[in-house]
Amino acid sequence: MDSDPCDLPQDTTDLLTGKVTAPAPVKESDKPVDCYFVYGTVSNQVSLNADPVPSPEVQSIARVEAARFNRTCRVFAPAYRQVPVPGLPIVLAGFTEPLAVGYDDVLSAWNDYLAHENNGRGVIFIGHSQGTFMLRKLIREQIDPNPQLRNRLVGAFLMGGDVVTMRGSTVGGDFANIPVCSRRAEYSCVTAYSTNIRYPTLSLFGNSSLDLLGSQRFGLASGPQFQVACTDPAVLSGSDQPVGVTLPSAPYSFGFISVLVGYMLPPEAWPTSLSTWTTSRARGVGSCEDVNGYSQYHIRMINPQPINEIPLFDTHVIDVNFGLDRLVDIAAEQARSWQADTR
């Protein structure tokens, strides 16, 4: 694209401290690995499957969730026929064929990337929400059973989409061979969690026994013998300092998602500054907790601002961006470790 939303500069203003950072850009040729990003449910189109085009809301989510990783990786982000926001209730009610249509696009794009762009490079997968659903299936069917491709797996950030393992294990469930991450600098593993501010009594996320997302109908693991993964980013990054919400300063394209963010984060619905990126004044810490049968990453605000949860969705909209730089640091450390071991 002429103006690639994944190529944002990294200058950032922290609204709490007033500190401005502006790291130099990294040349594409100097990036050690690639990222394959599949975005979540963002399309405003009224249909069961959105047109596979980089619409304004698709470009916005690429900036919000993928562009921060561009110092470590070349970012590949396929436009696919996702289930748009208006079609989501029909899919959640049990009609999963539109998900299969979207997955065909994601798989086709992955095969095209392998054939023309990969050339043996390491890959970090990034997904959220519906994007995590797509990547659970892609990794389960294409990467996990293939030793050659498993060796190229640097890491996977599969947020807000109920990755599961066998109870008491780091494997099983979705992936037989690829574990969820459990220690700092571990690579070829999966980072996954959904967030909340209040312990849920009923949620779409975190309880494999309920499977309200319909994982089983989409050919993914689900059931009481499995547990939903929650990998603590403080442990994986080696930093337990309070973190904020980091977002591009430019406003999100108007639509369902921008309205939800405005509802969740009043009065500073969208942190903004003169920098390309802004980190909110609010700060919080978190931990993986299993409460009421839900395994989620529970956030406790230290320097608070009001956060409204969305019924059934908890704080789903900020799964990636709460502590975004911590996830970026994990990815960079994984890339260094993978490179050191594969040279």
Side-chain angles (χ1 to χ4, degrees):
M1 299 178 64
D2 292 335
S3 181
D4 190 337
C6 297
D7 283 345
L8 289 188
Q10 297 293 311
D11 56 298
T12 307
T13 294
D14 186 326
L15 294 180
L16 180 64
T17 65
K19 183 178 180 181
V20 178
T21 56
V26 178
K27 295 179 181 178
E28 291 285 275
S29 58
D30 292 337
K31 297 175 182 179
V33 299
D34 292 341
C35 286
Y36 190 80
F37 170 63
V38 183
Y39 50 88
T41 310
V42 296
S43 173
N44 300 315
Q45 189 172 337
V46 181
S47 65
L48 288 178
N49 287 101
D51 295 332
V53 296
S55 60
E57 61 269 28
V58 168
Q59 293 190 48
S60 284
I61 201 63
R63 295 184 187 97
V64 167
E65 293 184 344
R68 195 71 171 173
F69 291 84
N70 70 20
R71 292 182 58 77
T72 294
C73 58
R74 304 186 304 169
V75 181
F76 293 82
Y80 69 105
R81 288 172 290 176
Q82 73 161 203
V83 178
V85 177
L88 194 59
I90 296 173
V91 171
L92 290 175
F95 182 55
T96 57
E97 180 58 30
L99 284 175
V101 171
Y103 178 71
D104 285 346
D105 288 352
V106 171
L107 175 60
S108 177
W110 167 252
N111 287 330
D112 184 79
Y113 160 77
L114 279 182
H116 300 105
E117 299 286 352
N118 178 259
N119 297 316
R121 290 169 61 88
V123 179
I124 296 171
F125 293 95
I126 305 169
H128 182 236
S129 192
Q130 187 175 164
T132 285
F133 241 53
M134 298 294 164
L135 287 177
R136 284 173 66 192
K137 189 173 181 70
L138 183 76
I139 295 171
R140 177 185 177 92
E141 296 180 356
Q142 304 296 319
I143 314 301
D144 189 63
N146 186 321
Q148 184 181 35
L149 291 180
R150 282 205 312 272
N151 288 338
R152 298 184 208 174
L153 176 66
V154 178
F157 295 84
L158 306 183
M159 319 301 289
D162 279 8
V163 172
V164 298
T165 66
M166 293 298 296
R167 290 199 173 273
S169 175
T170 60
V171 293
D174 280 330
F175 315 124
N177 301 292
I178 300 168
V180 293
C181 302
S182 58
R183 64 184 186 277
R184 185 174 181 182
E186 182 182 8
Y187 64 89
S188 297
C189 59
V190 174
T191 301
Y193 54 83
S194 294
T195 61
N196 68 50
I197 291 287
R198 289 174 288 277
Y199 297 120
T201 55
L202 183 63
S203 174
L204 290 172
F205 308 102
N207 190 327
S208 183
S209 296
L210 292 179
D211 190 23
L212 297 181
L213 290 177
S215 294
Q216 209 165 49
R217 297 192 301 270
F218 196 47
L220 297 169
S222 183
Q225 69 273 38
F226 302 112
Q227 62 187 13
V228 174
C230 182
T231 55
D232 191 333
V235 173
L236 303 184
S237 66
S239 173
D240 59 1
Q241 296 299 304
V243 295
V245 177
T246 299
L247 291 162
S249 298
Y252 195 96
S253 173
F254 181 75
F256 292 102
I257 301 303
S258 64
V259 170
L260 289 176
V261 173
Y263 168 78
M264 282 189 62
L265 299 174
E268 296 174 354
W270 196 269
T272 189
S273 68
L274 295 178
S275 299
T276 305
W277 295 82
T278 306
T279 299
S280 66
R281 291 181 178 86
R283 291 291 190 276
V285 296
S287 58
C288 289
E289 300 185 31
D290 196 328
V291 177
N292 300 329
Y294 293 94
S295 176
Q296 295 186 348
Y297 188 69
H298 180 63
I299 299 170
R300 296 178 295 281
M301 300 307 294
I302 303 300
N303 185 54
Q305 76 171 66
I307 295 181
N308 297 320
E309 289 196 337
I310 301 168
L312 295 180
F313 286 83
D314 311 304
T315 49
H316 183 66
V317 175
I318 59 170
D319 283 339
V320 175
N321 296 87
F322 176 79
L324 175 58
D325 281 342
R326 199 162 49 180
L327 300 181
V328 172
D329 289 344
I330 293 169
E333 191 162 27
Q334 288 178 328
R336 289 191 294 268
S337 298
W338 179 86
Q339 272 194 304
D341 288 350
T342 55
R343 282 174 180 163

